Amino acid sequence: PMSFFSGIGAASKKGVLVKGSNYLETMAKLHTGVFDKTGTLTKGEFKVAEIHSVDGDEKKQSMVLELAALAESYSDHPISRSIRDAWGKKLDQSRVSDAEEISGHGVKVKIDGKTVLAGNGKLMDKEGISYTECASVGTVVYVAEEGKFLGSIVIADLIKDGVKDAIRSLKRAGVSKTVMLTGDAEPVAKAVSAELGLDEYHAGLLPGDKVDQIETLLAAKRPKENLAFVGDGINDAPVLSRADVGIAMGALGSDAAIEAADVVLMDDDPAKIALAMRIARRTLRIVYQNIVFALAIKFACLVLGAIGMASMWTAIFADVGVMVLAVLNATRALYTKDLAKKNAQ
């Protein structure tokens, strides 16, 4: 136990909160790393990149943006904030009523008494609205009023600094498969996956679909291989609970995700996952050293006692002495300076 406590303490010094020794042991044997996209691999700092109306009229583009901003006025989602920021004017929320957020699809509200939809293509399909699919790379929000498609808004999200290096560090640490799960459209997921060098991606997923994908990945892995899921949103909580080890972003992550996770990255730096793996493996090596050392000494003293060559001092060393040496060896797990340098390289 002292070795594991030291390993957990070493990880906490580096900004990684491990909630138990069993999770530290699991971290040492990671085979598959699964990542949510928004807020985990990307900054979640969305900006409106393009606005399209049905006929390309600039006045109608302004109307599309205004309706979308009003529709998203009650939501605190990063995409909603980016649309409101792009509108840049004060919103009269008295014009909005009957706001309904449809998980994984978008929002449905009444603006000036008219039903307005703002969301992805699934929302348009669900409501039976014919729309023109936008080919631009980014998160696309389609806007419709009274069953008529008006236009679309393309929102771009930037990849976090250092994520590419973090993925490479995981590969060097022994993670052989990296997967991204996202609710974004196929072109966005493909572009991000290619830029980061991920092995696999799954796009257009609802929260329940992410759980199904995790179940599929868990069924495909070997018994001694472990799977980690890294996420930050409230919708990621079920997936974090289902993975062998759930890793949450602690700085900007939701309370639900942090509560459901087994490991929390306090500064939202994915590179800390590889560092935690190295700490976990070093801790396990020390644990095995202590077990082998203690059993070997005790067995040797039993043999010496059986042939009449063991004294009282020998017995004391086999009991108390071995314990003291094991504790001293366990404190080595607290030393992480060399691991930090290796991680930086």
Side-chain angles (χ1 to χ4, degrees):
M2 180 64 73
S3 302
F4 281 113
F5 295 157
S6 297
I8 291 172
S12 67
K13 287 180 180 178
K14 299 299 178 182
V16 182
L17 174 62
V18 183
K19 295 184 180 181
S21 56
N22 53 328
Y23 304 125
L24 193 70
E25 188 171 1
T26 303
M27 288 287 293
K29 301 174 183 177
L30 286 187
H31 169 267
T32 305
V34 185
F35 301 85
D36 178 50
K37 184 183 83 69
T38 305
T40 303
L41 298 178
T42 60
K43 294 181 178 180
E45 296 175 359
F46 297 92
K47 292 185 178 180
V48 172
E50 301 173 20
I51 304 172
H52 303 281
S53 62
V54 174
D55 54 8
D57 184 83
E58 289 187 7
K59 290 183 179 179
K60 290 186 178 180
Q61 289 177 2
S62 179
M63 183 182 72
V64 168
L65 182 59
E66 181 184 11
L67 289 175
L70 284 167
E72 302 282 3
S73 61
Y74 287 97
S75 176
D76 196 41
H77 192 279
I79 290 178
S80 303
R81 289 198 299 269
S82 70
I83 294 174
R84 295 197 299 270
D85 291 343
W87 177 242
K89 302 175 185 177
K90 188 175 181 180
L91 295 169
D92 184 3
Q93 291 188 333
S94 63
R95 297 172 59 191
V96 184
S97 62
D98 300 335
E100 178 188 357
E101 187 167 351
I102 304 171
S103 179
H105 291 74
V107 294
K108 180 179 182 179
V109 301
K110 283 195 174 183
I111 300 175
D112 299 329
K114 297 180 180 180
T115 301
V116 174
L117 301 171
N120 54 26
K122 292 179 181 178
L123 180 61
M124 299 293 113
D125 294 334
K126 182 175 181 291
E127 298 293 332
I129 297 173
S130 177
Y131 68 99
T132 303
E133 190 169 349
C134 181
S136 300
V137 176
T139 300
V140 182
V141 176
Y142 297 102
V143 181
E145 182 183 49
E146 290 292 302
K148 182 181 178 182
F149 176 65
L150 298 180
S152 58
I153 299 171
V154 181
I155 300 166
D157 188 12
L158 301 175
I159 292 175
K160 281 185 177 179
D161 299 331
V163 168
K164 288 183 184 179
D165 293 334
I167 297 298
R168 285 195 289 266
S169 296
L170 284 174
K171 293 283 188 179
R172 289 195 296 268
V175 175
S176 57
K177 187 176 183 179
T178 53
V179 184
M180 181 181 72
L181 306 181
T182 178
D184 288 349
E186 174 81 14
V188 180
K190 184 176 181 180
V192 173
S193 178
E195 186 171 350
L196 295 179
L198 301 175
D199 300 312
E200 190 178 316
Y201 69 89
H202 300 276
L205 301 178
L206 297 174
D209 297 332
K210 291 183 180 181
V211 177
D212 294 337
Q213 287 293 337
I214 287 292
E215 294 287 357
T216 302
L217 291 167
L218 286 170
K221 70 182 182 65
R222 296 175 182 176
K224 292 186 178 181
E225 297 173 344
N226 293 323
L227 179 147
F229 177 79
V230 189
D232 72 313
I234 189 170
N235 290 333
D236 296 328
V239 196
L240 287 165
S241 300
R242 185 61 192 90
D244 292 322
V245 56
I247 304 174
M249 298 294 171
L252 298 176
S254 69
D255 292 342
I258 293 171
E259 180 68 25
D262 309 311
V263 177
V264 181
L265 306 180
M266 301 310 296
D267 57 1
D268 289 0
D269 183 4
K272 294 291 179 68
I273 300 173
L275 177 60
M277 287 178 64
R278 293 191 182 99
I279 292 174
R281 288 174 179 174
R282 188 165 187 262
T283 301
L284 279 183
R285 285 198 298 271
I286 293 171
V287 169
Y288 294 146
Q289 288 170 8
N290 282 344
I291 291 172
V292 172
F293 172 72
L295 291 178
I297 295 297
K298 290 178 183 294
F299 180 75
C301 288
L302 285 172
V303 173
L304 290 174
I307 61 177
M309 295 181 63
S311 65
M312 180 63 70
W313 290 110
T314 305
I316 292 172
F317 173 75
D319 184 21
V320 180
V322 167
M323 180 198 70
V324 171
L325 290 175
V327 169
L328 291 174
N329 190 41
T331 59
R332 290 174 51 234
L334 289 168
Y335 181 69
T336 58
K337 187 176 180 181
D338 57 330
L339 295 175
K341 288 181 178 179
K342 188 183 292 185
N343 187 65
Q345 292 172 355

